[in-house]
């Protein structure tokens, strides 16, 4: 199974971070059919061959994504999209 992991330090308030994470989950749902649900300070995303988790703790955002066979063809653009979003929305 293909996949990727991204991390980024943050200093923004947790509520702002939670809102940014929800906007990312909403965007992935709209554009890739991925469903999301919150589990404490983590949002799990699943669907369309994508199984991912975004969590934040101890000043670090951690995104891990596993891709199914068909979704693995989109690993590079999906990784770039998530990285760009983290760079723009997380501080």
């Amino acid at each position: 199974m293909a996949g990727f992991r991204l991390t980024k330090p943050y200093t923004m308030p947790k509520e702002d971070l939670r809102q940014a994470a929800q906007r990312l989950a909403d965007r992935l749902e709209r554009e890739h059919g991925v469903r999301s649900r919150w589990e404490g300070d983590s949002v799990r995303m699943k669907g369309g061959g994508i199984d991912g988790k975004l969590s934040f703790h101890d000043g670090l955002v951690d995104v891990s994504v596993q891709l199914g066979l068909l979704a693995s063809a989109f690993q590079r653009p999906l990784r770039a999209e998530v990285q760009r979003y983290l760079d723009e929305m997380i501080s």
Side-chain angles (χ1 to χ4, degrees):
M1 228 186 200
F4 60 88
R5 184 172 183 196
L6 301 169
T7 59
K8 179 172 175 107
Y10 73 89
T11 57
M12 62 196 300
K14 266 194 171 181
E15 187 54 40
D16 293 347
L17 182 58
R18 190 177 183 88
Q19 289 173 5
Q22 185 61 55
R23 284 192 301 271
L24 175 61
D26 292 344
R27 180 176 174 178
L28 292 173
E29 183 172 349
R30 242 185 354 267
E31 296 177 7
H32 301 286
V34 176
R35 301 282 182 197
S36 65
R37 75 178 185 280
W38 281 94
E39 299 171 350
D41 285 340
S42 300
V43 61
R44 297 215 39 108
M45 296 165 269
K46 191 167 187 158
I50 297 170
D51 186 2
K53 181 178 179 181
L54 183 151
S55 59
F56 45 95
H57 49 83
D58 302 327
L60 191 67
V61 174
D62 185 12
V63 178
S64 60
V65 177
Q66 292 297 313
L67 302 169
L69 184 60
L70 295 175
S72 66
F74 301 99
Q75 179 177 356
R76 285 181 128 176
L78 184 58
R79 179 187 176 113
E81 180 179 348
V82 173
Q83 181 67 62
R84 184 173 39 255
Y85 189 87
L86 291 175
D87 291 344
E88 291 173 1
M89 302 305 292
I90 306 298
S91 61

